[in-house]
Amino acid sequence: MKKNILDLTREELEQEVKPAFRAKQIYQWIYQKGAKSFEEMTNLPKAMRTELDEKFTIATPKILKVEQSRDGSKKYLLGLADGHTVESVLLPMKPEVRDNEGNIVKEAKYTVCVSSQVGCKVGCAFCLTAKGGFVRNLTPGEIVGQVLAIKEDNHIPANRRVNIVYMGMGEPLDNLENVAKAVKIFSDDHGLSISPRRQTISTSGLAPKIKKLGEMNLGVLLAISLHAVDDVLRQQLMPINKAYNIEAIMQAVRQFPIDQRKRVMFEYLVIKDVNDDLKAAKKLVKLLHGIKAKVNLIYFNPYPGSPFERPDEESVKRFQRYLLDHGILCTVRESKGLDISAACGQLREKSNACAI
Ligand code: SAH
Ligand code: SF4
């Protein structure tokens, strides 16, 4: 069977094609010029192109469904080669700026939220991805391919950088090896050239893997899905907390190498009457003491049959105000597009339901 060339880091590709500079050229074709076939790679010898074609495919996932939200974010259901599906989201961060003559003076900025697994083993009580259980890890090429497919669908030039967040379906640190390869492929200077500082890995708190990720020194940013400040509640929401409690996570975070100018992000899913009180905010302030942190409050996004409710705007604002007043950087993620299936797993779930 042919291998997907998107699975290979440039170093790995250099083992396959000689001399090594050919790997750079192939990378440039795929990632900077958007080549879809080896035939197009006209600066490679004909024989090499034929050989590559016999050995490799350039396989990106198939777009099965798109939901566009009023705020501009777009959620994709993507089909993988074996028929499984994952979700990715394109989030416009800043619109393009034009001068009086209509020339673009600043390019639009985008973030792509990618999935790292089909399903997830962690089993958080609030998360729809968890409901379907775990199916399999994504390969590095399947992670990278999500970005290629979405950029192409939105006519974002192949050489334009986007930010990456590993916040789609799955637990990235449960698939660390492939995710680390994806980080390298994304950041390669001859490819998409997306610096690791533009890539954020979000985890439910696999403490030993946070340590391992730190030791890999990839330079990526870290986001912790905290969601609760005491172990009893966190355990109810996230069973993983039994294995690695809040203190274990905080210890791993304290040791994590982080760029001087950057911060560790703590995601806090606000759930009505569960964790939206000021007592929790107070405890959070204490917990983050001495850590270069920023908090991102996320509205819980309900789905049919979900055991929790969306919090009131007032309680989220109050929570945010408390953190800000106590010197903690805090943003609120307007559940990007309430009018689309915003949280991870929701588009996939809906499609499965349609298929029945
Ligand atoms: N497994 C990793 C990354 C993927 S989940 C992690 O848990 O960090 C990405 C984010 O989506 C997490 O912060 C998760 O809490 C959030 N999420 C899950 N279900 C949600 C829901 N129903 N509404 C809003 N956010 C949700
Ligand atoms: Fe997995 Fe993250 Fe969903 Fe928890 S929130 S079940 S870790 S994808």
Side-chain angles (χ1 to χ4, degrees):
M1 214 177 87
K2 289 191 195 182
K3 285 199 265 184
N4 185 2
I5 202 162
L6 302 183
D7 281 332
L8 304 184
T9 61
R10 189 158 51 80
E11 288 69 30
E12 287 171 335
L13 189 54
E14 282 172 4
Q15 304 304 313
E16 303 269 349
V17 290
K18 297 275 179 271
F21 77 89
R22 294 294 183 199
K24 287 184 188 160
Q25 289 177 315
I26 296 168
Y27 250 58
Q28 282 159 357
W29 275 109
I30 296 175
Y31 297 109
Q32 299 183 353
K33 298 182 203 165
K36 288 277 182 291
S37 70
F38 297 106
E39 199 43 48
E40 294 165 55
M41 304 182 182
T42 44
N43 57 357
L44 303 185
K46 182 92 179 103
M48 182 177 270
R49 283 185 259 160
T50 311
E51 204 180 306
L52 283 168
D53 193 48
E54 282 161 3
K55 259 172 114 171
F56 294 108
T57 58
I58 310 175
T60 50
K62 215 162 72 204
I63 296 174
L64 300 178
K65 205 168 164 188
V66 191
E67 277 190 12
Q68 166 110 45
S69 141
R70 273 191 299 265
D71 66 13
S73 61
K74 266 183 178 178
K75 185 153 196 161
Y76 285 83
L77 183 70
L78 300 175
L80 306 170
D82 64 358
H84 286 301
T85 55
V86 289
E87 295 178 5
S88 318
V89 188
L90 176 73
L91 305 154
M93 306 310 279
K94 279 188 192 149
E96 66 184 18
V97 180
R98 288 176 186 259
D99 63 14
N100 293 341
E101 271 108 59
N103 304 313
I104 297 175
V105 285
K106 256 194 197 150
E107 307 288 2
K109 287 205 164 62
Y110 297 99
T111 293
V112 180
C113 172
V114 295
S115 290
S116 57
Q117 298 179 314
V118 182
C120 184
K121 286 181 206 162
V122 179
C124 301
F126 49 79
C127 175
L128 202 48
T129 300
K131 299 273 179 287
F134 174 73
V135 181
R136 68 170 175 87
N137 282 331
L138 295 191
T139 68
E142 286 172 330
I143 298 172
V144 171
Q146 296 170 50
V147 173
L148 296 185
I150 287 184
K151 280 178 74 177
E152 191 192 0
D153 189 56
N154 291 277
H155 311 289
I156 300 172
N159 61 357
R160 178 89 48 82
R161 287 187 188 97
V162 294
N163 292 346
I164 311 283
V165 293
Y166 298 81
M167 291 184 187
M169 303 170 73
E171 167 52 55
L173 295 191
D174 190 33
N175 184 17
L176 181 53
E177 203 178 311
N178 291 350
V179 166
K181 268 191 194 172
V183 170
K184 284 188 191 149
I185 298 170
F186 280 134
S187 62
D188 197 288
D189 282 342
H190 299 276
L192 293 174
S193 199
I194 301 171
S195 150
R197 273 156 200 79
R198 292 171 174 270
Q199 302 186 47
T200 304
I201 294 185
S202 173
T203 178
S204 54
L206 278 61
K209 293 290 180 69
I210 295 173
K211 190 161 175 258
K212 200 159 166 202
L213 178 69
E215 285 163 3
M216 285 174 150
N217 245 319
L218 296 173
V220 286
L221 303 183
L222 182 66
I224 304 288
S225 289
L226 193 63
H227 308 333
V229 286
D230 73 78
D231 282 317
V232 177
L233 176 61
R234 194 163 192 274
Q235 210 154 296
Q236 284 166 13
L237 298 175
M238 307 174 78
I240 187 83
N241 200 72
K242 281 185 209 126
Y244 311 113
N245 64 13
I246 296 176
E247 186 42 40
I249 297 172
M250 298 314 281
Q251 249 178 45
V253 168
R254 281 190 207 102
Q255 287 165 8
F256 193 82
I258 193 110
D259 189 310
Q260 281 302 305
R261 292 154 297 178
K262 301 284 184 181
R263 290 165 190 273
V264 175
M265 194 213 280
F266 286 84
E267 292 161 279
Y268 191 95
L269 188 64
V270 189
I271 306 174
K272 188 181 168 82
D273 297 336
V274 172
N275 63 358
D276 55 355
D277 51 298
L278 279 187
K279 237 169 77 189
K282 199 168 168 183
K283 213 158 168 192
L284 185 54
V285 171
K286 263 208 188 124
L287 201 62
L288 298 180
H289 183 76
I291 294 179
K292 271 190 82 180
K294 67 177 169 195
V295 173
N296 191 15
L297 301 177
I298 311 165
Y299 281 85
F300 171 72
N301 198 39
Y303 45 88
S306 72
F308 304 112
E309 286 174 59
R310 187 180 151 84
D312 308 323
E313 204 179 321
E314 186 44 45
S315 62
V316 175
K317 290 267 152 66
R318 192 169 4 109
F319 202 106
Q320 181 189 27
R321 216 174 304 126
Y322 187 90
L323 294 185
L324 291 173
D325 286 348
H326 290 78
I328 294 190
L329 220 72
C330 177
T331 51
V332 177
R333 193 195 304 166
E334 296 299 340
S335 210
K336 277 274 180 191
L338 260 186
D339 51 329
I340 62 169
S341 332
C344 67
Q346 296 194 6
L347 185 58
R348 180 165 173 261
E349 182 75 5
K350 227 161 77 177
S351 290
N352 285 345
C354 291
I356 294 167

